[in-house]
Amino acid sequence: MTASRRARGGHAEEGGRQPDSQAASSGQQGGESAPPYHVAMSATMRDVANQAGVSIKTVSRVVNGEPHVRPETARQVLRAIGELGWVANEAARSMRTGKTNRLGIAVSGLRRPRLARLVESIVHEADGRGMAAVVEPTHEDMARLTRIGSDLGQHFDGLVVVAPTQVPDELVVALRGMPVVAVQSGRPGIGWDSVDDDVGDAVALICRHLSVMGRTSVALLGPDRAVGPHEETPSHRMREAMASVGLDSDALYVALEGTDPRAAGASAAQEALLLRPRLDAVVCSDDEVALGALWALDRAGVTVPDDVAVIGYDALSDGVFSTPSLTTVDPVTDRIAHTALALLVERIAGEAPAEPRSVLLPVELLRRESTMGSLWSGR
């Protein structure tokens, strides 16, 4: 500000030295004084307030999305901001409030459609709350996840850890009580706030549906989603659900191999047919595995669902357009994202209880042709 005032006045600086640009101009024009130059000053919050006819505090409330501002007032402020081209100084705001207004999202990767869709839902939810989102792929590198966790409070205010396959115990301890929420971790009680789809409810819905459709012999392609830490497939919840509806609880389990889930599903389906030729249902760990299984069954001359019913998990849009269309469990990712952000915002604001909270959300079974056949209505 001081330098700008000196420049506009065209006076020599303290100590008799002329400003550099004036001195150069004088030398070029035989000692004649150059016309004064002006430095364009950017608009300030006070300028916005004056233009809108409101107080500086009201401008701040509008910019920060605070409640209890009349719509007409907010429109006046936003109109003034647009006319003046004012840009809020996020760095200054961060220094003043101690908040970055940014959210970190740690995810193993975005090549898997289910993870990409969940991250997209979280970003959309954050945007609706006026928060910027920074997506940090971990590639299942625990050192990288730890580094991202160390950025909490510096580069972002809260952290969402999406579907972690594992979390270092020391990181859980280090971030306990901080604004962190684990989403679809399969580990309620991880030590942070957590939001999970109710996989116990999911396996019950799957087994009940298969029983109603007259199935008895089930193969599990990949681990069932209800498997807990240090537990093998089928999980105790899957066995209980199968037994409760009269399915053979001695379900065949075929492990998935390789990094391509569709290819792994195809291979697992082929193996299941060899090991149990009379099976009449396959339950897949996710939709990508199920799509691979549908392909393999078709190639083997097995009719779905007349011979074998197929169920997936995650409700990918691909399943609507497969032949036959895929019955699947929908975890409702938008609801998961909304709940996770609600927990996170409360903890950022210091309004959450000290103990971590675990939320289980209901799922939906989308019944389609791969189990219903001609009974499916197409809705």
Side-chain angles (χ1 to χ4, degrees):
M1 293 290 289
T2 303
S4 298
R5 285 198 297 272
R6 286 173 180 162
R8 287 197 295 270
H11 301 302
E13 291 187 323
E14 188 177 6
R17 183 175 64 84
Q18 289 180 302
D20 293 342
S21 58
Q22 289 193 27
S25 180
S26 298
Q28 292 169 357
Q29 300 189 25
E32 294 181 7
S33 61
Y37 66 85
H38 297 270
V39 177
M41 301 297 292
S42 60
T44 65
M45 185 181 286
R46 183 177 298 279
D47 295 330
V48 173
N50 291 338
Q51 178 92 341
V54 299
S55 67
I56 292 177
K57 184 175 182 180
T58 298
V59 175
S60 177
R61 291 173 64 190
V62 171
V63 170
N64 289 303
E66 296 179 19
H68 312 307
V69 178
R70 290 191 301 117
E72 179 57 33
T73 301
R75 283 194 291 270
Q76 288 175 228
V77 171
L78 294 174
R79 189 181 305 117
I81 289 173
E83 292 171 351
L84 296 173
W86 178 68
V87 179
N89 189 328
E90 294 293 340
R93 185 189 303 175
S94 177
M95 291 177 65
R96 183 173 66 254
T97 64
K99 306 295 184 184
T100 66
N101 208 36
R102 286 197 298 270
L103 165 72
I105 303 173
V107 59
S108 61
L110 296 173
R111 296 185 64 181
R112 298 294 302 273
R114 76 178 186 91
L115 296 180
R117 189 176 65 164
L118 181 52
V119 168
E120 182 179 16
S121 293
I122 295 169
V123 170
H124 179 75
E125 184 69 28
D127 183 63
R129 295 173 180 270
M131 300 178 72
V134 180
V135 180
E136 295 274 5
T138 65
H139 307 298
E140 299 188 1
D141 181 344
M142 294 303 99
R144 185 173 176 82
L145 178 59
T146 300
R147 181 191 62 74
I148 294 168
S150 69
D151 287 340
L152 183 60
Q154 301 177 58
H155 298 145
F156 34 80
D157 302 324
L159 177 63
V160 180
V161 183
V162 177
T165 54
Q166 56 180 318
V167 178
D169 291 338
E170 57 271 20
L171 183 62
V172 172
V173 173
L175 299 182
R176 181 168 288 141
M178 297 184 71
V180 181
V181 58
V183 171
Q184 281 197 328
S185 68
R187 296 173 59 187
I190 188 175
W192 305 329
D193 289 337
S194 62
V195 179
D196 290 274
D197 37 310
D198 190 342
V199 290
D201 185 33
V203 297
L205 286 171
I206 289 170
C207 293
R208 192 177 307 122
H209 179 57
L210 290 177
S211 176
V212 168
M213 300 309 297
R215 310 297 163 154
T216 57
S217 180
V218 180
L220 305 177
L221 307 189
D224 75 71
R225 298 288 273 265
V227 169
H230 315 298
E231 189 178 16
E232 296 182 352
T233 294
S235 65
H236 72 280
R237 285 182 289 187
M238 175 65 84
R239 289 194 300 269
E240 289 175 356
M242 296 175 76
S244 70
V245 294
L247 297 177
D248 183 358
S249 58
D250 183 26
L252 173 66
Y253 168 56
V254 182
L256 302 176
E257 297 182 358
T259 58
D260 182 337
R262 300 191 189 208
S267 178
Q270 291 166 345
E271 183 176 349
L273 290 174
L274 291 174
L275 294 174
R276 189 166 294 182
R278 298 180 66 83
L279 71 87
D280 56 16
V282 294
V283 176
C284 304
S285 59
D286 61 49
D287 281 0
E288 289 191 276
V289 171
L291 292 169
L294 285 176
W295 178 87
L297 292 170
D298 180 66
R299 290 289 293 259
V302 175
T303 303
V304 176
D306 295 350
D307 300 324
V308 175
V310 178
I311 297 182
Y313 201 114
D314 288 322
L316 299 184
S317 59
D318 291 20
V320 177
F321 302 102
S322 63
T323 303
S325 57
L326 180 64
T327 294
T328 182
V329 174
D330 186 0
V332 194
T333 54
D334 287 347
R335 184 165 55 202
I336 292 173
H338 177 79
T339 305
L341 265 291
L343 295 180
L344 198 64
V345 167
E346 286 182 359
R347 199 161 288 281
I348 290 172
E351 299 171 354
E355 290 300 311
R357 299 160 293 178
S358 296
V359 179
L360 283 180
L361 295 175
V363 299
E364 299 174 11
L365 182 64
L366 306 181
R367 299 164 176 84
R368 297 187 183 132
E369 291 171 319
S370 67
T371 58
M372 299 285 291
S374 60
L375 296 176
W376 185 57
S377 65
R379 291 185 298 227

